[in-house]
Amino acid sequence: QVQLVESGGGLVQTGGSLRLSCAASGSVFSITRMAWYRQAPGKQRELVATISSGGSTNYADSVKGRFTISRDHAKTTVYLQMNSLKPEDTDVYYCNAHIQHYSGSSVYDYWGQGTQVTVSS
């Protein structure tokens, strides 16, 4: 079993910053990709940023230049540094990871429980 545990959400004023963390634990051999998504009530989940095992990153146009995704040296924890936050960034943020349980195994998709980010105007 694998768990993704998120932390770091909260309430912040417009222009403020937050840092989200997501740690993977359990039966993890390797993580090929980690990502952050966000979702508002009644809307589809939106991809925010991704980072590959090699460190390549991609961002949604709406967060480019404001958000930074990174991974720790062990590559089992992913971070999302969010600066210059706007009210439209208010959402539940979800961590996602593509995980191999052992060498040569299939890659499985895992999600965190979500953390609320609220930006007040």
Side-chain angles (χ1 to χ4, degrees):
Q1 285 285 28
V2 170
Q3 280 192 316
L4 298 181
V5 179
E6 301 159 356
S7 61
L11 173 65
V12 65
Q13 291 186 332
T14 296
S17 298
L18 284 174
R19 188 190 195 209
L20 306 182
S21 299
C22 172
S25 62
S27 180
V28 177
F29 173 74
S30 71
I31 303 178
T32 58
R33 189 196 85 153
M34 299 189 85
W36 289 96
Y37 288 74
R38 62 187 183 186
Q39 187 173 25
K43 294 189 176 181
Q44 285 193 328
R45 195 165 290 188
E46 172 193 22
L47 178 63
V48 176
T50 66
I51 185 166
S52 71
S53 57
S56 298
T57 59
N58 282 290
Y59 297 93
D61 287 343
S62 58
V63 306
K64 279 181 182 175
R66 300 188 298 122
F67 291 10
T68 302
I69 189 170
S70 61
R71 291 171 74 163
D72 70 336
H73 183 70
K75 299 181 181 179
T76 56
T77 300
V78 65
Y79 306 97
L80 187 68
Q81 178 66 44
M82 304 185 294
N83 298 328
S84 302
L85 282 161
K86 306 174 182 179
E88 51 263 44
D89 295 317
T90 296
D91 271 326
V92 178
Y93 284 70
Y94 296 90
C95 173
N96 171 260
H98 294 178
I99 294 174
Q100 277 187 306
H101 295 297
Y102 54 87
S103 177
S105 76
S106 299
V107 176
Y108 295 91
D109 203 25
Y110 288 91
W111 293 90
Q113 79 283 1
T115 185
Q116 178 70 47
V117 171
T118 302
V119 184
S120 63
S121 57

